[in-house]
Amino acid sequence: MSTRPRTPAPNAPAPGKLPITDLVAMKGRGEQIVMVTAYDAPGGRLADEAGIDLVLVGDSAAMVVLGYDSTVPTTMDELLVLTRAVTRGARRPLVIADLPFGSYQVSDEQAVTSGIRFLKEAGAEAVKIEGGGTTIARARALVQAGIPVCGHLGLTPQTATALGGFKAQGRSAAKALALVEDALALEAAGCFLLVLEAVPEAVARRISEALTIPTIGIGAGAGCNGQVLVWHDLLGLYDGHAPRFVKQYAQLSGTILGALESYATEVRSGAFPAAQHTYNIPEEELAAFEEGLAALLFRSSP
Ligand code: KIV
């Protein structure tokens, strides 16, 4: 009797999905991996159409979408909704969801429970957690539970206060070596990918060389195995402070502002809506309607 399952395993990749195992092969071939954040279904769909490899539903959503001052306040419920939207739009890219602050720090069990929710309820393929130290045990627990994990070292926004603010990390020999140790430990824990944020290029390059798994840089220079940018930074949609590592590929907030102002002007002047934006009713139906309306208003007048 065949032991082959008739239906795919519950967490088998969806058809057409970039296999997670391809990432190491891409690193081996020297092919840069492209990652972008997204927070809704149109974003996921556009990233897919643009041929982006990885979509991160970052907890940067807290600041660029939800209007918080930092990533700390955002919740599981908020990020689950955004992740579910992104996975409805992104077919081929792997979707990685950030576990929000407070959803994995307490214990391995808490981390696994949170990770499972992102896979089961939101359709993510993997989760990302920040830091070294105790996060390494969390990464191991998640991986052992069958949840692919992306690490995140360097500037870790969830603990930026403890790091002394939003500033580059690993700028002394001792701190750079500590980053290498954490990176190797996260790889040994089973992480399939590592984000390096705001790390000197020379250090990020050596970490990338020391690891088998790929690194994705944001403010970590060209020696990483791929790059990630935040959607709103890349597209010029965020008015807050942009770090030096941001490159804007469009200035959409100006375009959107112009469109909204034109809309407001046209509504106020009566130029919108025009005939082509409205629906017609056949002449005879309109005449009957007018007749019926006159009778109805007459009956209901005092
Ligand atoms: O939350 C986020 O968008 C991130 C990226 C900056 C890597 O963690």
Side-chain angles (χ1 to χ4, degrees):
M1 197 171 75
S2 166
T3 53
R4 186 140 39 112
R6 287 192 204 152
T7 52
N11 60 354
K17 191 57 83 180
L18 175 72
I20 214 163
T21 45
D22 276 15
L23 298 175
V24 169
M26 287 172 81
K27 173 171 176 164
R29 291 193 295 268
E31 239 174 81
Q32 284 288 310
I33 300 165
V34 186
M35 186 196 236
V36 70
T37 69
Y39 313 101
D40 56 20
R45 196 159 36 245
L46 285 170
D48 191 343
E49 277 177 32
I52 302 286
D53 301 307
L54 307 174
V55 173
L56 171 68
V57 189
D59 61 356
S60 48
M63 299 170 77
V64 299
V65 176
L66 300 174
Y68 295 116
D69 287 336
S70 80
T71 60
V72 171
T74 196
T75 63
M76 286 286 293
D77 287 344
E78 287 167 342
L79 293 191
L80 281 166
V81 169
L82 301 186
T83 305
R84 187 69 197 104
V86 170
T87 59
R88 287 190 195 105
R91 294 288 172 215
R92 179 183 174 274
L94 282 171
V95 177
I96 303 168
D98 253 337
L99 291 192
F101 181 70
S103 72
Y104 63 96
Q105 282 82 1
V106 176
S107 65
D108 288 357
E109 287 74 16
Q110 187 206 27
V112 172
T113 304
S114 301
I116 285 172
R117 290 194 68 192
F118 276 94
L119 268 59
K120 282 178 78 103
E121 296 173 34
E125 272 81 40
V127 297
K128 177 165 80 59
I129 52 179
E130 291 186 5
T134 51
T135 297
I136 294 160
R138 304 288 181 267
R140 190 176 302 109
L142 284 158
V143 171
Q144 282 171 356
I147 302 165
V149 179
C150 171
H152 182 157
L153 292 175
L155 171 54
T156 45
Q158 292 179 1
T159 45
T161 310
L163 295 175
F166 285 81
K167 43 187 184 191
Q169 301 296 309
R171 299 183 84 182
S172 68
K175 291 199 166 141
L177 283 171
L179 280 179
V180 177
E181 276 175 4
D182 280 341
L184 289 169
L186 285 167
E187 175 168 272
C191 288
F192 73 98
L193 193 68
L194 178 65
V195 166
L196 293 173
E197 179 166 354
V199 172
E201 168 152 4
V203 177
R205 185 181 296 278
R206 299 296 280 126
I207 293 174
S208 306
E209 287 164 0
L211 297 180
T212 304
I213 59 169
T215 59
I216 303 290
I218 175 161
C224 294
N225 307 116
Q227 297 293 322
V228 59
L229 278 178
V230 168
W231 182 270
H232 290 61
D233 291 340
L234 187 160
L235 296 173
L237 278 166
Y238 183 59
D239 294 333
H241 165 75
R244 62 175 278 165
F245 53 72
V246 166
K247 179 168 177 185
Q248 275 190 357
Y249 287 84
Q251 279 82 39
L252 294 191
S253 61
T255 307
I256 291 172
L257 187 62
L260 290 171
E261 285 169 351
S262 300
Y263 166 64
T265 302
E266 290 200 358
V267 169
R268 289 184 182 121
S269 72
F272 176 81
Q276 72 266 30
H277 306 120
T278 56
Y279 297 97
N280 289 326
I281 179 170
E283 283 297 325
E284 61 281 11
E285 293 297 329
L286 184 58
F289 166 69
E290 293 290 1
E291 209 174 295
L293 180 65
L296 187 147
L297 294 178
F298 178 75
R299 276 198 307 278
S300 58
S301 64

